Amino acid sequence: AGIGQQIIRSVIGALIGAAAAVALVIFTNQVILPWLGGPNLEAELVGESDVAVQVRFDSATGALSLTRTTAPPPPDRSHYAWLVVPGTAPVSLGTLSPDGLLRVDLLGASSGELEGAAVAISDEPLLGFELNMPTGNILAAGKLQPAAE
């Protein structure tokens, strides 16, 4: 009877553990994750220069996509993107490609954290720079706001 009871207890324990795991997955996928995502965000980056960039944050994937809608920089220069969340230092996002595109995966970011954050484009040397902040002029900037969908 001792071995039989141990087997029954093991089976019951395994079933309870499996039920708890299934409940956690259902709760996480249907309640927590969509709740953290929030609305998609967008911004139109403009300034006194002739540079304009459209920005979109997809809350479901965490992707921040930038698309330059104007001419590229001169051959020896680049357009560099920055994210500035209020109260923090600028975060380097990278250089827009020659065709004016940049996609950055902001893993773990939510629209609640990014709403109101500034995105800026600076004029930088083509081969980069050493500081982790803009060294050239800010050509365009805007704030992330809920998308009009």
Side-chain angles (χ1 to χ4, degrees):
I3 294 176
Q5 287 179 342
Q6 288 178 351
I7 292 173
I8 291 173
R9 286 184 186 151
S10 295
V11 169
I12 290 173
L15 290 174
I16 291 172
V22 168
L24 179 63
V25 168
I26 291 171
F27 180 73
T28 302
N29 287 336
Q30 294 184 357
V31 178
I32 295 176
L33 295 181
W35 189 46
L36 289 177
N40 293 329
L41 303 175
E42 62 186 6
E44 183 176 355
L45 311 185
V46 294
E48 294 181 15
S49 71
D50 61 352
V51 174
V53 176
Q54 297 291 322
V55 181
R56 180 161 180 86
F57 175 70
D58 183 331
S59 64
T61 64
L64 185 71
S65 301
L66 292 84
T67 305
R68 184 177 49 234
T69 57
T70 52
D76 63 335
R77 307 298 293 176
S78 65
H79 289 158
Y80 207 88
W82 302 90
L83 177 67
V84 184
V85 176
T88 67
V91 174
S92 165
L93 295 176
T95 303
L96 275 70
S97 67
D99 58 355
L101 303 175
L102 175 64
R103 179 188 159 118
V104 181
D105 292 322
L106 302 177
L107 301 176
S110 72
S111 56
E113 296 168 318
L114 296 176
E115 185 174 342
V119 180
I121 304 298
S122 65
D123 171 49
E124 302 295 345
L126 183 61
L127 297 177
F129 47 96
E130 295 187 24
L131 297 175
N132 196 20
M133 59 183 356
T135 60
N137 293 328
I138 299 297
L139 303 175
K143 290 189 176 187
L144 289 167
Q145 300 298 327
E149 298 181 291

